[in-house]
Amino acid sequence: MLKFLSRVRIEFNALDPRTASCMEFLAQCNAPKAKESNPACQIQVKRRTDDHPPQITVTFVNGVEEVYDATSTPAQTIRTMILDKGQFLETEQMFREAGEAWPVFIPEEELRQHAPGTKPRKAEEKKL
């Protein structure tokens, strides 16, 4: 997960009962396997003393920053969203390195073409 990130900032009030997601996410970030995937990723923890809700802010390697509300989003969901966005970034990088245009636009007529070796859908069978 950390391989897609340059910085993680976890903010919470230790006395707030809504910190479970922050604590779990911090544990995931501190896991040896996560740290090995990107030792350069900065992990910052800010312990707050006010009523600010727990939040997790991540900065992706391309500079895009996203803020997650840790009061209503489980740590596993945040992790999944980071992995999904990271895979998207990897795909984009592969296309750019290959000299291909990004994003990829597929013409409408190609989307409607029948793929060889597949069965047409029921609605398409009636048209044929």
Side-chain angles (χ1 to χ4, degrees):
M1 166 185 66
L2 293 182
K3 76 178 189 173
F4 303 118
L5 304 175
S6 61
R7 190 176 85 168
V8 176
R9 182 177 173 99
I10 301 171
E11 300 180 49
F12 61 91
N13 181 332
L15 302 175
D16 191 330
R18 304 170 295 172
T19 62
S21 185
C22 283
M23 300 307 278
E24 183 182 338
F25 192 79
L26 180 59
Q28 290 178 9
C29 290
N30 284 327
K33 187 175 178 182
K35 285 190 169 203
E36 289 170 9
S37 70
N38 184 3
C41 181
Q42 299 175 10
I43 300 172
Q44 301 172 335
V45 177
K46 181 176 181 183
R47 289 174 186 86
R48 303 183 68 106
T49 56
D50 57 7
D51 290 337
H52 191 275
Q55 74 178 28
I56 298 169
T57 306
V58 297
T59 306
F60 288 87
V61 291
N62 67 350
V64 173
E65 186 174 279
E66 291 197 11
V67 179
Y68 299 100
D69 177 7
T71 60
S72 60
T73 312
Q76 191 60 34
T77 302
I78 294 171
R79 182 178 187 277
T80 301
M81 289 189 287
I82 291 170
L83 290 173
D84 289 346
K85 175 115 181 178
Q87 289 177 337
F88 177 83
L89 293 173
E90 276 187 338
T91 303
E92 178 182 359
Q93 184 178 356
M94 284 184 350
F95 270 81
R96 292 189 190 277
E97 287 173 357
E100 297 292 331
W102 185 263
V104 176
F105 292 104
I106 301 172
E108 187 70 27
E109 60 273 4
E110 287 184 26
L111 290 174
R112 299 190 186 285
Q113 285 180 349
H114 175 71
T118 61
K119 285 181 154 181
R121 289 187 229 140
K122 298 278 184 202
E124 292 175 355
E125 287 177 355
K126 292 177 184 175
K127 291 180 186 175
L128 298 175

